[in-house]
Coordinates of all heavy atoms in Angstrom, one line a residue:
Chain A
E580 N 117.9 -19.1 -41.1 CA 117.9 -18.4 -42.3 C 118.3 -16.9 -42.1 O 119.0 -16.4 -43.0 CB 116.5 -18.5 -43.1 CG 116.1 -19.8 -43.6 CD 114.7 -20.0 -43.9 OE1 113.9 -19.1 -43.6 OE2 114.4 -20.9 -44.6
R581 N 117.7 -16.3 -41.1 CA 118.0 -14.9 -40.9 C 119.5 -14.8 -40.6 O 120.1 -13.9 -41.1 CB 117.2 -14.4 -39.6 CG 115.8 -14.0 -40.0 CD 115.3 -13.1 -38.9 NE 114.8 -14.1 -37.6 CZ 113.6 -14.5 -37.6 NH1 112.7 -14.2 -38.4 NH2 113.3 -15.3 -36.6
D582 N 120.0 -15.7 -39.8 CA 121.5 -15.7 -39.5 C 122.4 -15.7 -40.7 O 123.2 -14.8 -40.9 CB 121.9 -16.8 -38.4 CG 121.2 -16.5 -37.1 OD1 120.8 -15.4 -36.9 OD2 121.3 -17.4 -36.3
S583 N 122.1 -16.7 -41.6 CA 122.9 -16.8 -42.7 C 122.8 -15.4 -43.7 O 123.7 -15.0 -44.3 CB 122.7 -18.1 -43.5 OG 121.3 -18.1 -43.9
K584 N 121.5 -15.1 -43.7 CA 121.4 -13.8 -44.6 C 122.1 -12.6 -44.0 O 122.7 -11.8 -44.7 CB 119.8 -13.5 -44.6 CG 119.4 -12.4 -45.4 CD 119.4 -12.7 -46.8 CE 119.0 -11.5 -47.8 NZ 119.4 -11.6 -49.1
A585 N 122.1 -12.5 -42.7 CA 122.7 -11.4 -41.9 C 124.2 -11.5 -42.2 O 124.9 -10.5 -42.5 CB 122.5 -11.7 -40.5
I586 N 124.8 -12.8 -42.2 CA 126.2 -12.9 -42.5 C 126.6 -12.4 -44.0 O 127.5 -11.6 -44.1 CB 126.8 -14.3 -42.3 CG1 126.5 -14.6 -40.7 CG2 128.2 -14.5 -42.7 CD1 126.7 -16.1 -40.4
E587 N 125.7 -12.8 -44.8 CA 125.8 -12.5 -46.1 C 125.8 -10.9 -46.4 O 126.7 -10.4 -47.0 CB 124.7 -13.2 -46.9 CG 124.8 -13.5 -48.4 CD 123.5 -14.0 -48.9 OE1 123.2 -15.3 -48.6 OE2 122.7 -13.3 -49.6
L588 N 124.8 -10.3 -45.8 CA 124.7 -8.9 -46.0 C 125.9 -8.1 -45.3 O 126.4 -7.2 -45.9 CB 123.4 -8.4 -45.2 CG 122.0 -8.7 -45.9 CD1 120.9 -8.6 -45.0 CD2 121.9 -7.7 -47.1
M589 N 126.3 -8.7 -44.1 CA 127.4 -7.9 -43.6 C 128.7 -8.0 -44.4 O 129.4 -7.1 -44.4 CB 127.6 -8.6 -42.2 CG 128.2 -7.8 -41.1 SD 127.1 -6.2 -40.8 CE 128.2 -5.5 -39.5
E590 N 129.0 -9.2 -45.0 CA 130.1 -9.4 -45.8 C 130.0 -8.5 -47.1 O 131.0 -7.9 -47.5 CB 130.2 -10.9 -46.3 CG 131.0 -11.6 -45.2 CD 130.9 -13.2 -45.4 OE1 130.4 -13.6 -46.5 OE2 131.4 -13.9 -44.5
A591 N 128.9 -8.4 -47.6 CA 128.6 -7.6 -48.8 C 128.9 -6.2 -48.5 O 129.4 -5.3 -49.3 CB 127.2 -7.8 -49.4
A592 N 128.6 -5.7 -47.3 CA 128.8 -4.4 -46.8 C 130.3 -4.1 -46.5 O 130.8 -3.0 -46.1 CB 128.0 -4.0 -45.6
G593 N 131.1 -5.2 -46.5 CA 132.6 -5.0 -46.3 C 133.0 -5.3 -44.8 O 134.2 -4.9 -44.4
Y594 N 132.1 -5.8 -43.9 CA 132.5 -6.0 -42.7 C 132.7 -7.5 -42.3 O 131.8 -8.3 -42.9 CB 131.5 -5.4 -41.7 CG 131.6 -3.9 -41.7 CD1 130.5 -3.3 -42.4 CD2 132.4 -3.1 -41.1 CE1 130.6 -2.0 -42.6 CE2 132.5 -1.8 -41.2 CZ 131.5 -1.2 -41.9 OH 131.5 0.2 -42.0
G595 N 133.5 -7.9 -41.5 CA 133.6 -9.3 -41.1 C 134.5 -9.4 -40.0 O 134.8 -8.5 -39.3
K596 N 135.0 -10.7 -39.7 CA 135.7 -11.0 -38.5 C 137.0 -10.1 -38.5 O 137.6 -9.7 -37.6 CB 136.1 -12.4 -38.4 CG 134.7 -13.2 -38.2 CD 134.6 -13.9 -37.0 CE 133.1 -14.0 -36.5 NZ 132.4 -15.1 -36.6
D597 N 137.6 -9.9 -39.9 CA 138.9 -9.2 -40.0 C 138.7 -7.7 -40.0 O 139.6 -7.1 -39.5 CB 139.4 -9.6 -41.5 CG 139.4 -11.0 -41.6 OD1 139.6 -11.8 -40.7 OD2 139.1 -11.4 -42.9
N598 N 137.6 -7.3 -40.3 CA 137.3 -5.9 -40.3 C 136.0 -5.7 -39.5 O 135.0 -5.4 -40.1 CB 137.1 -5.4 -41.8 CG 136.8 -3.9 -42.0 OD1 137.1 -3.1 -41.0 ND2 136.0 -3.5 -43.0
P599 N 136.1 -5.8 -38.2 CA 134.9 -5.7 -37.5 C 134.3 -4.3 -37.3 O 135.0 -3.3 -37.3 CB 135.2 -6.4 -36.1 CG 136.8 -6.0 -36.0 CD 137.3 -5.9 -37.5
L600 N 132.9 -4.3 -37.3 CA 132.2 -3.1 -37.1 C 132.2 -2.8 -35.6 O 131.9 -3.7 -34.9 CB 130.8 -3.2 -37.7 CG 129.8 -2.1 -37.4 CD1 130.2 -0.8 -38.0 CD2 128.5 -2.5 -37.8
S601 N 132.5 -1.5 -35.2 CA 132.5 -1.2 -33.8 C 131.6 0.0 -33.6 O 131.6 0.9 -34.4 CB 133.8 -0.9 -33.2 OG 134.7 -1.9 -33.4
F602 N 130.8 0.0 -32.5 CA 130.0 1.2 -32.1 C 129.6 1.0 -30.7 O 129.8 0.0 -30.0 CB 128.7 1.2 -33.0 CG 127.9 -0.1 -33.1 CD1 126.9 -0.2 -32.0 CD2 128.0 -1.0 -34.1 CE1 126.2 -1.4 -32.0 CE2 127.2 -2.1 -34.1 CZ 126.3 -2.3 -33.0
T603 N 128.9 2.1 -30.3 CA 128.4 2.1 -28.8 C 126.9 2.1 -28.9 O 126.3 2.8 -29.6 CB 128.8 3.4 -28.1 OG1 130.3 3.4 -28.3 CG2 128.5 3.5 -26.7
M604 N 126.3 1.2 -28.1 CA 124.9 1.2 -27.9 C 124.5 1.8 -26.6 O 125.1 1.5 -25.5 CB 124.3 -0.2 -28.1 CG 124.8 -1.2 -27.2 SD 124.5 -2.9 -27.7 CE 122.7 -3.1 -27.6
I605 N 123.5 2.7 -26.5 CA 123.1 3.4 -25.3 C 121.7 2.9 -24.9 O 120.9 2.6 -25.7 CB 123.2 4.9 -25.2 CG1 122.4 5.4 -26.4 CG2 124.6 5.3 -25.5 CD1 122.1 7.0 -26.3

Side-chain angles (χ1 to χ4, degrees):
Chain A
E580 286 169 348
R581 274 194 286 267
D582 288 347
S583 59
K584 184 81 184 158
I586 294 166
E587 201 179 292
L588 283 164
M589 205 63 179
E590 274 170 7
Y594 295 98
K596 303 242 150 102
D597 314 323
N598 179 24
L600 171 63
S601 301
F602 56 79
T603 304
M604 58 196 294
I605 61 166

